[in-house]
């Protein structure tokens, strides 16, 4: 069994990726001191559990 844990943006900081096409989106209701545009998602924590599961038929040893 394997367990994977991944997290992004744990501090919940507003940021815009430099590759995002939405960073130039004009948002008319921007409060003072906040950059315009659409920000990336906030906190994200992911868990993944991999459990091996085999349903293939087992070969029985031939008795002599």
């Amino acid at each position: 069994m394997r367990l994977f844990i991944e997290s992004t943006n744990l501090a919940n900081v507003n940021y815009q990726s430099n590759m995002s096409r939405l960073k130039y989106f004009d948002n008319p209701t921007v409060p003072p001191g906040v950059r315009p545009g659409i920000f990336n998602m906030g906190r994200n924590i992911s868990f993944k559990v991999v459990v091996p599961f085999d349903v293939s038929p087992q070969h029985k040893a031939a008795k002599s």
Side-chain angles (χ1 to χ4, degrees):
M1 186 167 86
R2 296 188 299 179
L3 173 68
F4 298 92
I5 301 172
E6 180 183 349
S7 62
T8 56
N9 198 14
L10 290 179
N12 201 23
V13 177
N14 286 339
Y15 68 97
Q16 292 173 330
S17 172
N18 64 334
M19 299 297 288
S20 174
R21 294 177 185 219
L22 300 175
K23 67 182 177 181
Y24 300 113
F25 184 75
D26 187 23
N27 188 353
T29 59
V30 175
V34 176
R35 294 185 304 174
I38 296 176
F39 295 98
N40 291 348
M41 67 179 171
R43 277 178 272 240
N44 189 20
I45 299 174
S46 302
F47 297 95
K48 177 181 177 181
V49 177
V50 178
V51 179
F53 183 72
D54 187 15
V55 292
S56 62
Q58 301 293 326
H59 294 291
K60 295 182 180 180
K63 295 182 182 181
S64 15

